[in-house]
Amino acid sequence: MKLAGLIGLFLICTYNGIAQEKFISVGSGGGFAGTVTTYKIIPNGKVFKGSGLGDIKFTECGKIKKSAAKKFVSAVADQTRLNTSFSHPGNLYYFIRYTENGKEQTITWGDADHPVPADVKKLYEEIQASVTVIRYKPVK
């Protein structure tokens, strides 16, 4: 019975676009509250917004153009391959992450003593500008 429930949950998440083989995540967190806000973008253009202290719960969904989503996924994949060891979070931190088949590559920054490469920061800002203006709806 539990197995059937887990399979059903997986199928629902897959149908809604939450569980995907390839996607990117961008976000920020830290500070006094320690809350993290994350945007998850999949190549078909769906964007999920979530926040939390530990496990991120994606509670809202929106959409960007499929071509923009594919461009962002490709650019983040390239940057995470080039900067695989860049992990310098600060009290407030920012990140971009590429996930494919369960394997993650992440660039994290925020420490003033270790500035992020300019092209990574520019990419992050471009993605953030695209996803923060979306009208999100609750995930069903």
Side-chain angles (χ1 to χ4, degrees):
M1 187 67 173
K2 287 182 183 180
L3 180 61
L6 288 173
I7 292 171
L9 179 61
F10 173 76
L11 292 174
I12 289 169
C13 290
T14 302
Y15 176 76
N16 285 331
I18 295 173
Q20 294 292 319
E21 291 183 6
K22 181 180 4 180
F23 60 89
I24 61 169
S25 305
V26 297
S28 61
F32 180 74
T35 303
V36 177
T37 300
T38 302
Y39 297 92
K40 180 178 181 178
I41 303 168
I42 57 177
N44 71 2
K46 284 192 178 182
V47 179
F48 296 90
K49 181 180 178 184
S51 62
L53 291 172
D55 288 336
I56 303 300
K57 294 182 180 170
F58 292 96
T59 58
E60 298 176 276
C61 182
K63 191 156 180 72
I64 60 175
K65 290 184 178 181
K66 189 175 183 177
S67 60
K70 285 183 175 185
K71 179 182 95 169
F72 291 149
V73 169
S74 177
V76 170
D78 291 345
Q79 286 299 328
T80 55
R81 283 188 201 107
L82 291 172
N83 298 287
T84 56
S85 62
F86 198 92
S87 180
H88 299 284
N91 181 41
L92 295 174
Y93 64 92
Y94 309 89
F95 63 89
I96 61 174
R97 177 179 302 125
Y98 176 72
T99 304
E100 186 170 3
N101 298 322
K103 296 179 183 176
E104 294 181 347
Q105 297 172 304
T106 305
I107 300 171
T108 308
W109 67 97
D111 183 348
D113 294 334
H114 298 91
V116 69
D119 50 346
V120 173
K121 185 175 183 180
K122 182 179 177 188
L123 175 60
Y124 175 85
E125 290 170 350
E126 184 181 352
I127 294 170
Q128 284 284 59
S130 294
V131 298
T132 56
V133 297
I134 296 173
R135 277 204 142 122
Y136 289 93
K137 296 180 181 179
V139 173
K140 295 178 182 179

